[in-house]
Amino acid sequence: MRIATLGRWVAIVLAGLLAGLVGAAVLTSVQAAMRYWLGISPPQEMIPDRLAPTLSINDFFALFGEYGGYNGLKRFGIRSGLMGVAVAGTLVGALYALVVESRRSRASRRWPLGTTEVGGLFVLGALAVLWAGSLLFLAPTLDTNFRGLPPRQAEAATAVGYLVAFASYALTMVTVYRFVAPRRGPVAARGDGALEPPAGGPDALAMGRPLPRRAIVAAAAGVAAAAPAWALVRRLNEKATFSYDGTVYSNSDGRGLQGITPTERFYTVTKNVVDPEVNTGVWRLVVDGKVDDPRQYDYEGLRALPAIDQESTLMCISNRISAGLFSNAVWSGTPLRDILLDAGVADDAYEVVLRGADGYTDTFGMDKALDPTTLVVWGMNGEPLPRIHGGPVRVIVPGLYGEKNMKWVTGIEVVDHDVKGFYEQQGWGPDFVIPTRSDFFEPRVRSEDGRFVFADRFQVGRAVTLKGRAFAGDRGVSKVEVSTDGGESWQPTAVAYLGTRLTWRHWTLRWVPREAGDREFVVRAYDGNGDLQPTESVGTVPQGARGLHRVLARIDG
Ligand SMILES: Nc1nc2c(c(=O)[nH]1)N[C@H]1C(S)=C(S)[C@@H](COP(=O)(O)O)O[C@H]1N2
Ligand SMILES: [Mo]
């Protein structure tokens, strides 16, 4: 191979890389715009959601460890998605250049097609493969739409959005390549693939002036094309869940705990990088599947249904004993039961599958679906349900762990078989019934070397007020007892906050130390059926933590 030829191929590859990079910039801008204004989730965001349920709990947690928790993992996912598109887009540009130009440099005798056709076929083929492949691979999560389109429309919007996005890449890449590609004299410029020698001698124009100058123009266009992506990704980043995902309601800051959690202190857990911003104009709640008469509610229609206020406590399955992924609120909404009975539930109905605008899914059995305390909720503590807690509409299912309480709900499908939810696929559950638990929160408890210690020091003869919580899912708390001697003897507590059958209770005990030394405090609760809480320690994986909260205190003489 002569130097001149080599130089030409280098120029071709460089032109392809540049064209691909500009294409990727346009693609990312188009995707960011569609995500920002239309709620269409790009593959960079959807692929992690598609993969997360397929991981085992251990692998998922190992990733947390590697990337700095759930938030670190989310950041990593989005970053690598954005980088991946830039890299892949750039490489495909080079590939395109090689395909087109190798065709160009070969005789047209063997091929009936000219370079334009070969290039066109390559692009259309790649487009078809990419589009079909992404739709197939992402099929389980295509119904994601962060503006709240109901599932079927969301799927259609995603499919069209992806086609538009990928086509914008292809169009840009081809256009830019044609603009910057090394000219091979008049022949190649015509693009007909004929093999006349270039006018100015071999490869005379290959590294001629047009390429660098045009390349600079194209690169500038690329920067301009990337600007919207940059701006929108930054705006999305400002709305990102990093600032509030994992918020706990706890007394670790000494602010105390109220019976009803103030909305702005309510705990938060979300799988999302940027939570849905539902547009109530396009939002619908679709009720279908094994029902006689599928229903669809718009926001006004839902608000017009007879509603109730109901206080109930929400707790995440990942909540360790005495931890704060645990809050209580008054919810306003309509019993799911009324909505289902209106639609007419088929005899072979087995469970409901709930879908959220973010593509999250979860399920619960018909017993819970038809329980009058399971609500389709639009209000929280007397205000419209805030966005980060699932507004405009979520489901509250007392007695089952937080994961089942679908935020931004768009679909309720009655099915006749078992379906596994987002986290259940990882291996959580299968039992999501909240077991009875209790803890201390006052005086403030801190964890040192895995042992819980009261932050205050106690003094012989000086009365202290102990406080804590007890929770028994939807069974109610009937009794809470405290031991100040490591479980040897137990004494009854008083009620500090009674709540309801569906909420936690806050208990209190006034206690006067009689002798100096180290002491272990233990609390235990009985549920509404009179059953004692589990006392054996069990970790959160896979069915939520169980066990007694044990706290140490030093009593000074
Ligand atoms: N659509 C959707 N619903 C969801 C989640 C989610 O990521 N997406 N997270 C679930 C989990 S794991 C919990 S613990 C609760 C938390 O609700 P909160 O943030 O209002 O406290 O919402 C549940 N509902
Ligand atoms: Mo959760």
Side-chain angles (χ1 to χ4, degrees), residues 205-463:
L205 292 172
M207 300 296 285
R209 258 167 279 121
L211 174 61
R213 206 188 297 142
R214 287 178 170 226
I216 290 168
V217 173
V223 171
W230 178 256
L232 288 172
V233 168
R234 279 185 57 158
R235 277 210 240 171
L236 285 165
N237 189 53
E238 280 159 23
K239 295 170 188 258
T241 58
F242 307 129
S243 60
Y244 60 85
D245 182 21
T247 296
V248 289
Y249 184 50
S250 82
N251 191 33
S252 59
D253 56 5
R255 282 201 279 170
L257 297 182
Q258 288 166 248
I260 292 182
T261 311
T263 303
E264 67 283 0
R265 288 183 70 192
F266 200 95
Y267 94 89
T268 322
V269 174
T270 171
K271 72 159 181 67
N272 301 313
V273 177
V274 180
D275 275 337
E277 252 180 296
V278 168
N279 175 335
T280 48
V282 300
W283 177 89
R284 297 287 182 275
L285 176 61
V286 172
V287 181
D288 61 4
K290 293 277 172 183
V291 294
D292 306 330
D293 188 8
R295 292 289 160 113
Q296 183 166 310
Y297 296 86
D298 61 13
Y299 186 67
E300 298 308 318
L302 188 81
R303 288 294 305 263
L305 298 177
I308 60 168
D309 289 344
Q310 174 181 282
E311 188 183 330
S312 67
T313 298
L314 193 64
M315 187 177 76
C316 180
I317 197 166
S318 302
N319 195 43
R320 288 167 291 107
I321 299 297
S322 99
L325 296 172
F326 194 13
S327 294
N328 187 44
V330 179
W331 311 97
S332 309
T334 296
L336 175 57
R337 175 188 175 83
D338 296 355
I339 290 173
L340 288 176
L341 292 186
D342 213 36
V345 175
D347 293 336
D348 55 349
Y350 175 75
E351 64 180 9
V352 287
V353 180
L354 308 182
R355 294 197 167 78
D358 58 346
Y360 183 82
T361 59
D362 221 319
T363 64
F364 45 79
M366 292 315 295
D367 53 335
K368 269 291 166 194
L370 295 173
D371 189 301
T373 66
T374 299
L375 302 183
V376 177
V377 158
W378 40 259
M380 179 181 186
N381 292 338
E383 304 280 343
L385 184 66
R387 167 175 168 244
I388 66 170
H389 295 297
V393 180
R394 80 179 298 172
V395 169
I396 287 290
V397 50
L400 299 184
Y401 281 115
E403 356 301 294
K404 303 271 168 187
N405 294 252
M406 179 63 58
K407 301 196 269 192
W408 314 287
V409 63
T410 54
I412 299 175
E413 186 189 357
V414 178
V415 295
D416 61 3
H417 57 280
D418 180 51
V419 176
K420 294 204 184 319
F422 189 88
Y423 290 112
E424 191 179 3
Q425 290 174 51
Q426 293 186 335
W428 292 94
D431 183 6
F432 290 90
V433 174
I434 298 174
T436 306
R437 60 153 78 196
S438 54
D439 63 22
F440 299 90
F441 65 75
E442 233 177 80
R444 204 147 57 88
V445 175
R446 55 168 192 242
S447 178
E448 287 176 347
D449 312 326
R451 302 193 318 167
F452 292 101
V453 182
F454 279 124
D456 292 6
R457 288 200 143 199
F458 299 166
Q459 202 120 51
V460 168
R462 200 177 77 195

Side-chain angles (χ1 to χ4, degrees), residues 82-228:
L82 291 169
M83 286 295 294
V85 163
V87 170
T90 306
L91 292 180
V92 169
L95 188 63
Y96 168 79
L98 290 173
V99 167
V100 171
E101 301 298 345
S102 66
R103 166 70 207 115
R104 209 192 288 275
S105 62
R106 225 168 272 145
S108 54
R109 286 167 248 133
R110 276 184 291 155
W111 285 73
L113 300 175
T115 55
T116 316
E117 287 89 342
V118 170
L121 275 182
F122 173 79
V123 167
L124 285 182
L127 203 62
V129 167
L130 184 62
W131 189 54
S134 51
L135 295 194
L136 275 176
F137 177 66
L138 295 170
T141 46
L142 286 182
D143 58 7
T144 304
N145 182 270
F146 284 89
R147 283 287 181 211
L149 283 177
R152 293 294 82 76
Q153 279 102 306
E155 281 173 346
T158 309
V160 172
Y162 280 18
L163 189 59
V164 169
F166 297 158
S168 75
Y169 166 81
L171 220 70
T172 310
M173 188 269 286
V174 170
T175 308
V176 171
Y177 182 73
R178 289 183 155 210
F179 181 68
V180 296
R183 297 294 185 281
R184 240 198 148 198
V187 173
R190 279 210 317 270
D192 61 6
L195 267 189
E196 294 164 36
D203 295 321
L205 292 172
M207 300 296 285
R209 258 167 279 121
L211 174 61
R213 206 188 297 142
R214 287 178 170 226
I216 290 168
V217 173
V223 171

